[in-house]
Amino acid sequence: GNSVTQMEGPVTLSEEAFLTINCTYTATGYPSLFWYVQYPGEGLQLLLKATKADDKGSNKGFEATYRKETTSFHLEKGSVQVSDSAVYFCALRNYGGATNKLIFGTGTLLAVQP
Amino acid sequence: EPEVTQTPSHQVTQMGQEVILRCVPISNHLYFYWYRQILGQKVEFLVSFYNNEISEKSEIFDDQFSVERPDGSNFTLKIRSTKLEDSAMYFCASQTEGDYGYTFGSGTRLTVV
């Protein structure tokens, strides 16, 4: 079946530190991969996406590369800010069947300290 | 920027009561979804809705749940007889044709007591 595994949090970093949040997936077919972010008290916002192998999604300084050989989609940012504190969700959508549903990981809480 | 609006933001209900969660999707979107997140757990798919009918539902979406798009703008999730384990954050989302991502609402926190 389809599933997403992401590293457990919380991840606590100092401002300007390098961030990596690991995400690996299991899927049949050819999934699209996503990172969503949930700021405190808000809904889920699409942060970035990649639709095929070797694609790199990027937004707001965050990047993730779709690695088919390692079934991974790790989220990175070179220099985090306090305003990046949020919960980050890795997700996939598999176009192998007639479904548009997203399958989410458990979420990783990022806390950035000044 | 267009938004998906959910009301109420927080609802407290007694076990066994019916509850209706409301969502106003983005107006030109065609696909509609409900997801839920039990506190501390993953976000789980409940149901998708297209062309005025359910296109897919999960095992969670049993006979106690129903969805409706009564007037072409609202999209509702009804839970007929709430249980304690229905306490969760419920997210509505909508999507347009050919779009890879959804737009999610900010969620309704349902607390069953």
Side-chain angles (χ1 to χ4, degrees):
Chain A
N2 301 316
S3 66
V4 174
T5 303
Q6 59 181 106
M7 66 188 286
E8 295 201 7
V11 173
T12 303
L13 296 173
S14 298
E15 211 164 18
E16 299 183 3
F18 184 86
L19 168 71
T20 300
I21 300 178
N22 289 338
C23 171
T24 57
Y25 68 90
T26 302
T28 56
Y30 304 96
S32 293
L33 302 172
F34 306 84
W35 277 99
Y36 280 83
V37 58
Q38 185 179 28
Y39 297 103
E42 298 186 17
L44 297 163
Q45 298 177 27
L46 179 63
L47 180 60
L48 54 84
K49 64 178 186 263
T51 57
K52 61 183 187 299
D54 299 325
D55 268 3
K56 179 187 281 188
S58 60
N59 186 24
K60 299 182 182 178
F62 291 90
E63 292 183 340
T65 302
Y66 188 146
R67 302 276 187 213
K68 194 172 178 193
E69 63 276 12
T70 53
T71 61
S72 65
F73 192 55
H74 304 321
L75 182 68
E76 296 182 335
K77 186 175 186 184
S79 175
V80 293
Q81 305 300 311
V82 172
S83 56
D84 294 326
S85 297
V87 180
Y88 292 81
F89 293 92
C90 186
L92 73 81
R93 193 159 83 211
N94 200 335
Y95 290 95
T99 177
N100 278 331
K101 72 178 180 189
L102 285 168
I103 296 167
F104 285 89
T106 51
T108 302
L109 173 63
L110 170 65
V112 181
Q113 297 175 337
Chain B
E1 189 171 329
E3 288 184 345
V4 173
T5 306
Q6 288 186 246
T7 54
S9 56
H10 190 191
Q11 174 136 10
V12 181
T13 190
Q14 292 216 328
M15 193 168 55
Q17 294 295 305
E18 176 182 284
V19 67
I20 297 175
L21 308 183
R22 301 182 193 279
C23 170
V24 179
I26 294 172
S27 61
N28 65 341
H29 283 192
L30 301 175
Y31 300 85
F32 312 105
Y33 306 87
W34 284 101
Y35 285 76
R36 80 170 185 191
Q37 183 185 26
I38 294 171
L39 188 64
Q41 298 186 26
K42 34 172 94 174
V43 179
E44 301 172 291
F45 169 78
L46 291 178
V47 66
S48 60
F49 193 85
Y50 172 71
N51 202 24
N52 286 320
E53 60 183 23
I54 290 173
S55 49
E56 187 176 3
K57 60 183 181 179
S58 72
E59 292 175 354
I60 302 166
F61 195 88
D62 61 20
D63 291 345
Q64 292 299 311
F65 291 87
S66 62
V67 289
E68 203 175 34
R69 191 159 156 78
D71 55 12
S73 61
N74 291 286
F75 179 51
T76 61
L77 174 69
K78 182 193 291 186
I79 309 174
R80 275 186 249 293
S81 177
T82 49
K83 308 184 191 73
L84 294 176
E85 54 264 37
D86 293 327
S87 295
M89 180 74 89
Y90 289 81
F91 291 105
C92 173
S94 69
Q95 178 195 11
T96 191
E97 190 79 54
D99 190 8
Y100 286 104
Y102 303 172
T103 304
F104 280 89
S106 55
T108 294
R109 180 164 295 287
L110 176 65
T111 302
V112 183
V113 296

